[in-house]
Amino acid sequence: RNLAATLVPYHEAVKIALETKKQLVDREMLDITYAQFEQVLMECAVRRGHGSNLMKTWHRCLALFHAKRVPLVVLVCGTAATGKSQLSRAIAQRLNVTNVVPVDMLAKLAPRDGDAAFRWDAAGDDAYADECERARRCVAHEVVRCVTGGKPLVLEGVFVHPDLYTRQQLVEVAADASKRGRTVDDHQVKSTVMEGARDAGSAGETSAEERTRWTAHWKQHAPLVVTLCLSASASDVSTRLPLWKRQHAPIDTDVSCATTSLLAVQDSLIDATRRLPTTPGAAHAIITSRNGYVDDSEVDRAHRKILDVIAAEKCEVEH
């Protein structure tokens, strides 16, 4: 799986892994260090034409990334029927990420406290922004688990807005949970740094100084954030909208008005993604979708973007 995560085709990764196992047994190398194992692994990879310097760098970076438990958040956003779920599953499979959260579904199932259900054929900018904020609150506990536990997380959906998941905002979510000594769903945060947290009284009542202290702490362990925004042509959205409507929209939804709203949302998401800063811990890319599908070349581009962010973080840690 680690080889596949470095863009080695999965069937080739299996062959390299099996050959590595055979070489270790034949050489009676049964009690070895990781460096010895990696040397044999790379020898087998080179024999199959996959031992480039870039592949070796990525492999070492991934090993350190998992050992350090660096939190990673991958945002897959875009308008309806563009292949967000397909891209999310492909990225998760390649990087061996088990936590893929369909944000729209969680927001749809969450109680609305008397508010009317969101309708695309009657949605303005304010209504969409409110629904994005509501969706963010629905997945806050997943974000806390990612940041405080060092677990990779993929968030995908129409209501995943890049402006709500910057590194600073994710740090603040973790700080709010830490100052209470609990995660959002009332499970204790599994981190040794919590042992020194002072009792701030009842849950939810803490001093500004304590919040500042936790914010400073999690800023040192800020998650890596990669934003992948899907872009589809207007004709693709219009063509696939009837199928999407049957699965996700009320029966009486006006398709024409919904199409206009969805295309406006796509433009907004693309603009927001392009405005994001590129730093050693954050990156973004506009991924092209055709006929509601993301082809392998675009999946590879998204994959490389994530690997580059991980590699940059690994170099920063070593420096």
Side-chain angles (χ1 to χ4, degrees):
R1 288 180 176 177
N2 278 341
L3 287 172
T6 63
L7 288 174
V8 174
Y10 187 76
H11 66 281
E12 286 290 320
V14 171
K15 293 178 181 178
I16 294 171
L18 291 175
E19 184 177 345
T20 300
K21 178 181 177 181
K22 183 177 184 301
Q23 289 292 329
L24 293 174
V25 173
D26 290 347
R27 301 179 191 180
E28 297 185 354
M29 299 174 63
L30 307 180
D31 186 10
I32 59 176
T33 64
Y34 182 81
Q36 291 173 317
F37 163 76
E38 187 178 49
Q39 180 179 356
V40 176
L41 177 68
M42 291 304 160
E43 289 174 358
C44 296
V46 168
R47 283 196 290 270
R48 290 194 167 271
H50 295 289
S52 67
N53 290 333
L54 183 58
M55 178 264 190
K56 293 177 182 178
T57 299
W58 279 341
H59 189 272
R60 294 191 185 103
C61 290
L62 284 169
L64 183 59
F65 168 75
H66 291 299
K68 295 284 187 180
R69 296 181 67 85
V70 178
L72 167 68
V73 178
V74 179
L75 307 175
V76 181
C77 59
T79 194
T82 53
K84 296 182 299 297
S85 298
Q86 175 233 334
L87 177 61
S88 299
R89 289 193 297 267
I91 291 298
Q93 182 179 17
R94 290 186 178 203
L95 296 177
N96 194 25
V97 176
T98 58
N99 198 8
V100 180
V101 178
V103 177
D104 297 346
M105 182 178 295
L106 291 184
K108 183 178 180 179
L109 295 175
R112 287 187 171 272
D113 298 329
D115 295 337
F118 182 84
R119 292 184 63 95
W120 283 106
D121 54 355
D125 292 342
D126 292 341
Y128 175 71
D130 291 344
E131 194 69 8
C132 288
E133 174 59 29
R134 180 174 176 275
R136 185 196 64 80
R137 293 195 300 269
C138 290
V139 298
H141 62 288
E142 297 290 351
V143 170
V144 171
R145 286 172 178 164
C146 170
V147 177
T148 60
K151 297 179 180 180
L153 171 67
V154 178
L155 299 176
E156 65 95 0
V158 178
F159 298 114
V160 176
H161 200 288
D163 289 344
L164 299 179
Y165 300 90
T166 64
R167 296 188 84 192
Q168 179 61 32
Q169 288 170 315
L170 298 180
V171 165
E172 291 175 357
V173 171
D176 287 338
S178 298
K179 71 181 183 180
R180 297 193 301 271
R182 295 178 179 273
T183 59
V184 177
D185 56 355
D186 286 339
H187 292 299
Q188 286 296 125
V189 176
K190 303 297 183 182
S191 176
T192 55
V193 299
M194 297 300 297
E195 296 175 2
R198 64 181 176 84
D199 185 8
S202 59
E205 295 180 354
T206 56
S207 65
E209 291 79 10
E210 185 176 11
R211 187 181 191 281
T212 300
R213 177 166 57 84
W214 281 118
T215 300
H217 167 77
W218 290 120
K219 189 174 291 186
Q220 297 175 6
H221 306 276
L224 310 181
V225 180
V226 180
T227 302
L228 306 173
C229 182
L230 276 73
S231 173
S233 66
S235 59
D236 279 352
V237 174
S238 300
T239 300
R240 292 185 57 81
L241 192 60
L243 174 62
W244 173 84
K245 175 180 178 292
R246 288 198 296 270
Q247 297 174 342
H248 302 284
I251 296 176
D252 60 342
T253 298
D254 186 303
V255 173
S256 177
C257 292
T259 302
T260 302
S261 295
L262 288 167
L263 290 175
V265 164
Q266 174 172 269
D267 293 341
S268 173
L269 291 173
I270 291 175
D271 289 342
T273 301
R274 286 174 174 161
R275 290 196 305 267
L276 294 173
T278 299
T279 65
H284 60 271
I286 307 298
I287 305 298
T288 302
S289 167
R290 295 181 178 85
N291 298 319
Y293 181 79
V294 181
D295 61 32
D296 289 343
S297 63
E298 288 294 280
V299 176
D300 286 345
R301 192 161 68 87
H303 189 170
R304 286 177 180 271
K305 182 67 68 173
I306 297 172
L307 289 177
D308 288 343
V309 172
I310 293 174
E313 175 70 11
K314 181 256 184 183
C315 293
E316 183 176 318
V317 169
E318 285 193 335
H319 177 72

